[in-house]
Amino acid sequence: MLHALMSPLTARTVRGLIGTVADAVRSVVAPASLAERQADVEPVTAPDPAGLYEADEIPDTDVIEAAAKEYERAADQARRADRGKRAAKKVLDRLPSGVYGTWRIFRTPSSRQTPDLAEITRIFKANGLGPVPMKACAPSLKVEAVEVPAVPVAV
């Protein structure tokens, strides 16, 4: 019983409950504090990358709207699929290799490689080369629907 109370899952559940109770108390005592925390914040924008359409190459607005709508739909599907994949992986990652019903569970070595930043940092420090040079990742493309105010028509 004591082991169950000290598991990481129980700790996360307790932290979640404490957060929920704290939000409930704040909603009664100071409801504005919750609204301030969730206020609309203008997203930080990155500069446009190179290789964009020239002014005379930009597609019609209906083509752009259709592409943005499709992008948003596909991104939402990808998020849902990723959540499902993570949930299934929690179970599958803990299984030893073998055949389970009609499914074979096994692992293969990855062919991808990534720099060992801990070792690179150690080498830089050992040779007095300063901090490890880093570069920013490419900006993420975001789309969101906006309401366009109606243009009054002169009669």
Side-chain angles (χ1 to χ4, degrees):
M1 178 70 180
L2 184 59
H3 174 69
L5 293 175
M6 297 183 68
S7 74
L9 180 60
T10 303
R12 278 194 302 271
T13 303
V14 170
R15 280 195 303 270
L17 286 172
I18 290 171
T20 303
V21 169
D23 283 348
V25 169
R26 260 195 308 275
S27 71
V28 172
V29 175
S33 69
L34 290 175
E36 290 169 6
R37 188 170 34 155
Q38 298 170 356
D40 288 335
V41 178
E42 188 65 30
V44 176
T45 58
D48 287 336
L52 301 179
Y53 287 122
E54 296 296 329
D56 59 334
E57 298 175 318
I58 295 178
D60 292 332
T61 303
D62 56 335
V63 172
I64 296 170
E65 287 178 335
K69 185 176 181 179
E70 175 60 17
Y71 183 88
E72 182 180 43
R73 186 198 64 76
D76 187 49
Q77 271 189 330
R79 282 189 294 273
R80 284 191 211 156
D82 194 46
R83 283 192 296 269
K85 183 178 167 183
R86 280 195 309 267
K89 195 171 180 192
K90 280 183 182 179
V91 173
L92 299 174
D93 267 348
R94 299 195 59 199
L95 290 174
S97 296
V99 176
Y100 299 89
T102 59
W103 294 93
R104 178 175 164 228
I105 308 299
F106 63 102
R107 289 158 183 82
T108 59
S110 175
S111 62
R112 294 186 311 178
Q113 292 184 333
T114 184
D116 183 350
L117 289 179
E119 183 64 12
I120 293 169
T121 302
R122 187 194 66 73
I123 292 169
F124 267 65
K125 282 184 179 179
N127 294 297
L129 298 173
V132 175
M134 304 294 277
K135 69 177 189 174
C137 297
S140 298
L141 176 65
K142 303 286 185 182
V143 299
E144 67 181 352
V146 294
E147 288 192 35
V148 179
V151 178
V153 178
V155 179

